[in-house]
Amino acid sequence: MHEYKRQLLNIFQVYDLYQQLKQNPNKDFTPTTYIYGAKAAPGYKVAKGIIRLINDVAQIVNGDDDVKDKLKVVFVENYRVTVAEKIFPAADISEQISTAGKEASGTGNMKFMLNGAITLGTLDGANVEIVKEAGEENEYIFGMRVKDIDELIKKGYDPRFPYNNVTGLKQVVDALIDGKLSDLGSGIYREIHSLLMERGDQYFVLEDFEDYRRKQREINRDYKDKISWAKKMLKNIANAGKFSSDRTILEYANEIWDIKETKLNNKMTE
């Protein structure tokens, strides 16, 4: 769990979706479960606060009979390899939503891809390679690119602009401090609010919110077309070969370690 990976952006979108479903119970919506799994470093207070927030929203959403057949939020405790082995094959969407330019690379999104999950993400880390291999039309890419972020920083980024101008965003952000969400008196939600509104929103959560929400709604509609969805899944599986460990190790041997291939002729005797 780290701020740059923007699980905060994800849970903000879920809370906004919950509000929409409450206001419009007949909204055309494919039932969806959002699954989170991560661990926070012992001294990383904000990361722990985001985990607290996810579980807080989960308690509200999962306990509301109005949305129980439409929306569910799950936080997997003690996320590890044995848990991942169950989640990777089961997932329809792999969310890789880090701020562009912050994620060096990763292997989780590759494992999701190999198991047929479609990537919802920024053009960051291994997402760039996934898009190159499977085609952007078979993924859901959103948000600012690195050059967009650089330009925005040069102009001067003010998180109050999306806060005041993106429909529903103010309500979501204010829920951190207006009592709708409870951090049990720890003050961590107010600190998260301050990081966004007073200390510059350095990971551009608010700026990317609207485009991210738009892609979520697009996915929700597209999933109804089972044939088209299956084609996207198969394109991902079929083009995952580049991410094999054999190719990776050979590339490292040739380009980094400068190790030459040696063939051995061995005999086995009984």
Side-chain angles (χ1 to χ4, degrees):
M1 173 71 70
H2 196 287
E3 289 167 81
Y4 83 81
K5 291 181 179 291
R6 299 200 297 189
Q7 291 96 335
L8 184 61
L9 174 61
N10 192 318
I11 199 62
F12 273 3
Q13 184 274 146
V14 171
Y15 189 71
D16 173 71
L17 175 59
Y18 167 70
Q19 298 295 337
Q20 290 186 37
L21 290 173
K22 285 289 286 182
Q23 293 167 15
N24 182 10
N26 297 319
K27 181 181 178 66
D28 183 21
F29 181 76
T30 304
T32 304
T33 298
Y34 288 88
I35 302 173
Y36 301 81
K39 297 176 182 177
Y44 196 169
K45 184 180 177 183
V46 174
K48 290 182 177 182
I50 294 171
I51 291 175
R52 168 70 206 171
L53 178 61
I54 293 168
N55 281 281
D56 194 4
V57 172
Q59 191 171 13
I60 293 169
V61 171
N62 300 342
D64 192 328
D65 289 341
D66 292 341
V67 301
K68 68 178 182 180
D69 297 325
K70 301 173 184 175
L71 184 63
K72 190 173 289 293
V73 180
V74 176
F75 188 91
V76 179
E77 293 183 14
N78 195 20
Y79 180 74
R80 59 200 187 282
V81 172
T82 51
V83 174
E85 287 173 344
K86 296 179 175 65
I87 292 176
F88 287 134
D92 294 302
I93 289 290
S94 164
E95 296 218 20
Q96 310 293 331
I97 61 176
S98 56
T99 308
K102 296 295 184 181
E103 183 72 82
S105 189
T107 60
N109 45 7
M110 301 172 191
K111 298 182 183 91
F112 277 116
M113 179 190 189
L114 182 60
N115 282 276
I118 297 168
T119 297
L120 165 60
T122 51
L123 272 181
D124 194 36
N127 291 352
V128 177
E129 295 177 87
I130 287 174
V131 166
K132 183 178 178 181
E133 294 302 308
E136 188 166 343
E137 69 277 9
N138 295 306
E139 318 298 343
Y140 291 89
I141 302 301
F142 78 95
M144 292 185 292
R145 277 53 167 171
V146 172
K147 63 179 180 62
D148 300 323
I149 291 174
D150 290 341
E151 289 172 5
L152 183 60
I153 291 173
K154 285 178 184 176
K155 288 193 303 183
Y157 172 51
D158 185 352
R160 288 173 294 183
F161 185 81
Y163 171 82
N164 287 316
N165 290 281
V166 174
T167 303
L169 183 55
K170 184 177 186 297
Q171 181 182 12
V172 172
V173 176
D174 286 354
L176 292 168
I177 58 172
D178 65 10
K180 291 187 177 68
L181 298 168
S182 173
D183 60 7
L184 301 179
S186 67
I188 188 58
Y189 289 179
R190 184 165 291 279
E191 182 169 344
I192 294 171
H193 184 275
S194 176
L195 285 168
L196 296 172
M197 300 305 302
E198 296 162 20
R199 287 184 267 172
D201 182 22
Q202 66 171 317
Y203 297 111
F204 305 98
V205 171
L206 305 190
E207 183 65 24
D208 270 346
F209 179 83
E210 186 170 22
D211 198 24
Y212 176 62
R213 179 171 61 183
R214 188 183 301 116
K215 283 294 178 182
Q216 289 278 4
R217 301 302 175 266
E218 185 180 336
I219 288 168
N220 196 267
R221 292 190 300 271
D222 288 355
Y223 189 77
K224 292 180 172 68
D225 186 344
K226 299 298 185 184
I227 299 299
S228 178
W229 191 269
K231 287 180 179 178
K232 289 178 188 283
M233 292 177 65
L234 289 169
K235 288 285 181 67
N236 275 274
I237 295 169
N239 288 285
K242 181 182 177 180
F243 303 113
S244 72
S245 56
D246 288 344
R247 194 275 307 168
T248 305
I249 292 167
L250 183 61
E251 192 174 289
Y252 266 69
N254 291 333
E255 298 180 11
I256 298 174
W257 300 327
D258 194 26
I259 297 173
K260 306 304 179 186
E261 185 177 355
T262 302
K263 293 184 179 179
L264 299 175
N265 292 316
N266 293 327
K267 279 187 178 180
M268 292 186 66
T269 57
E270 293 183 4

